[in-house]
Amino acid sequence: MNQVHTTGANGLAHAPRPCIVRSHTSQAQVHKHSQSNHTQKFLASQPPATKFATHLCQRDATQDLLSARAAAGATATTSQSLASIELNTIINTQGLIQPLIPSGSEAAVFAVYNDRKQLQYVGFSKDLYNSLRTLLGRRPDKAFFYKATHLPTLDQKQMVDIRTAWFEECGGPPPGNKLALERTAWQSPVDAGAISERGKLQAAEEQLKALQAQIVQRGCKEDFQPDPELMKNGKVDFLPAKAMTPEELAEQQKRIAELAKATRVVEFEVDGSPAQYELFFVHSYPTNGGMMYDLTITYEEQETRHRIILGREYYEDFGMQPENVVAMVFTFLLQKKEPRHTEGLMLSSQFPINYFSISELDQVFPDFQELYASTGKRLEGDGKFWRFNKLHDYGYKGEDAQALSNMFKLKEEADEEVASTA
């Protein structure tokens, strides 16, 4: 069975905003909270069947901060190659944009990458947080990752020299700096494409809805408000985030801490390649037979919502925590590449991944029981729930949902024809 590693997600508080550090193999995150002194072990003391492990260590918050600052970018006297700078996600596990900005930093040179980690644009910034927000708002389909090097002073010549060195390292400028249309898309508000003066505002409102929908779909939980003056001119750009008061900062820290408790980063393998997804428990409900969870899965930069009903026989009999079984279930489904959207008309061959009970999973996928095999205990499903096995195959056997929809449409047309001739 494939190993799955889970890591609890915590945020690091660093004025004026909390911050987060990511490594290529783990999520190293700490927050300036009393709870940061405690290690969360998501799957501690679990039976070997799950092979889940937590790779969190207790460290002093000051050491974490120093390590994070070192990873954030170049210091005042050093310059880094682009390849040597750590790649970070623009949206973190809590759905926030929280780049780590070392104390004393006055400017930054940053690079933005797409979902395939291909360089798209290199820019300058005096406020990296709002620069990344702006670019995410303009290009939610392109802005996924970033690298940054920080400077103690706003030295334009040094910033240009760093950008030039990065271009040379990459064999030339990326599309966002080289191509005129791409450069405009990164550096200017989004033009809604209105064809008349009267239609500018309406076109901008439609463009705004599309951009905000993309940002939400990416799992970002920050508020993006448009510039009203630009909207009147048929363009869309988002206002910078306002500086937070101490009270607002404290409230945000509290919210981050709450989100961190409910967030898991699960590392696993798909076809022999490493992968990970973010599991966020929105709500949990005790039931007569176990637990029910509403949750979101963020995988391959797409967020989907799910409800799972979990019978206690799937965790109590094995000494497991129910949340750990939920992570095991979705890892199993993602490894099978089950579609994560099952809205509307469904075929009998589709698994209802957005709303299901674990007993359905047990019945549809016989190999699911193998996850429990190494415990030495048998998953006693047969005696715990009604099992509906398909004995006969009835009805239409179309290849996809569209074919099934067409069949119903033809039937409705035939019924209407019979009714009109009666």
Side-chain angles (χ1 to χ4, degrees), residues 24-301:
H24 293 293
T25 57
S26 66
Q27 303 280 336
Q29 304 167 350
V30 294
H31 61 87
K32 198 172 182 180
H33 249 265
S34 59
Q35 294 172 343
S36 65
N37 295 324
H38 301 283
T39 302
Q40 290 184 337
K41 292 190 175 181
F42 174 41
L43 294 169
S45 305
Q46 293 304 315
T50 63
K51 295 186 180 179
F52 280 64
T54 299
H55 298 286
L56 294 178
C57 56
Q58 256 183 327
R59 299 185 298 176
D60 181 77
T62 303
Q63 293 176 340
D64 280 314
L65 181 59
L66 293 174
S67 300
R69 286 176 178 172
T75 65
T77 58
T78 63
S79 179
Q80 291 179 299
S81 66
L82 187 59
S84 68
I85 301 175
E86 185 179 12
L87 187 71
N88 299 282
T89 57
I90 291 177
I91 304 171
N92 70 11
T93 54
Q94 285 81 43
L96 305 174
I97 303 166
Q98 296 177 327
L100 180 68
I101 302 173
S103 60
S105 173
E106 294 293 332
V109 183
F110 64 92
V112 180
Y113 294 75
N114 64 10
D115 56 339
R116 297 183 179 181
K117 300 181 181 178
Q118 298 169 329
L119 181 61
Q120 299 296 303
Y121 177 71
V122 175
F124 305 141
S125 177
K126 293 188 292 183
D127 181 354
L128 184 59
Y129 167 65
N130 273 310
S131 292
L132 292 177
R133 264 182 59 96
T134 297
L135 295 182
L136 175 64
R138 292 173 182 172
R139 308 300 305 271
D141 60 327
K142 298 281 188 180
F144 283 78
F145 301 91
Y146 79 96
K147 293 184 178 185
T149 185
H150 299 271
L151 305 175
T153 59
L154 182 60
D155 187 330
Q156 293 187 356
K157 182 180 183 305
Q158 186 179 7
M159 295 167 77
V160 171
D161 289 344
I162 292 172
R163 184 181 66 179
T164 300
W166 287 359
F167 287 171
E168 292 175 355
E169 180 183 345
C170 298
N177 297 91
K178 182 179 180 179
L179 305 177
L181 289 177
E182 279 290 303
R183 185 165 59 248
T184 299
W186 286 101
Q187 297 180 352
S188 305
V190 179
D191 191 328
I195 59 176
S196 68
E197 282 294 321
R198 296 179 59 184
K200 283 185 175 181
L201 181 58
Q202 182 179 352
E205 288 174 345
E206 292 176 0
Q207 182 68 63
L208 172 64
K209 290 178 182 179
L211 290 172
Q212 288 178 328
Q214 284 183 282
I215 293 169
V216 170
Q217 189 178 36
R218 288 279 307 278
C220 186
K221 295 177 174 62
E222 294 199 9
D223 185 31
F224 280 74
Q225 292 298 321
D227 185 325
E229 293 303 317
L230 286 174
M231 293 282 288
K232 295 176 184 177
N233 293 319
K235 298 181 180 181
V236 181
D237 216 4
F238 295 100
L239 295 170
K242 296 179 180 178
M244 289 184 290
T245 64
E247 293 77 15
E248 290 173 334
L249 182 59
E251 183 61 30
Q252 187 189 62
Q253 298 296 342
K254 181 180 177 182
R255 177 171 170 250
I256 289 172
E258 291 172 351
L259 290 173
K261 290 180 183 178
T263 303
R264 301 289 183 269
V265 177
V266 185
E267 297 178 358
F268 65 112
E269 288 189 357
V270 177
D271 297 334
S273 299
Q276 70 175 33
Y277 66 92
E278 295 166 7
L279 173 62
F280 176 64
F281 291 94
V282 181
H283 298 293
S284 61
Y285 310 93
T287 67
N288 290 335
M291 294 293 296
M292 181 170 70
Y293 294 97
D294 287 336
L295 53 91
T296 63
I297 297 290
T298 303
Y299 177 55
E300 296 181 335
E301 298 298 332

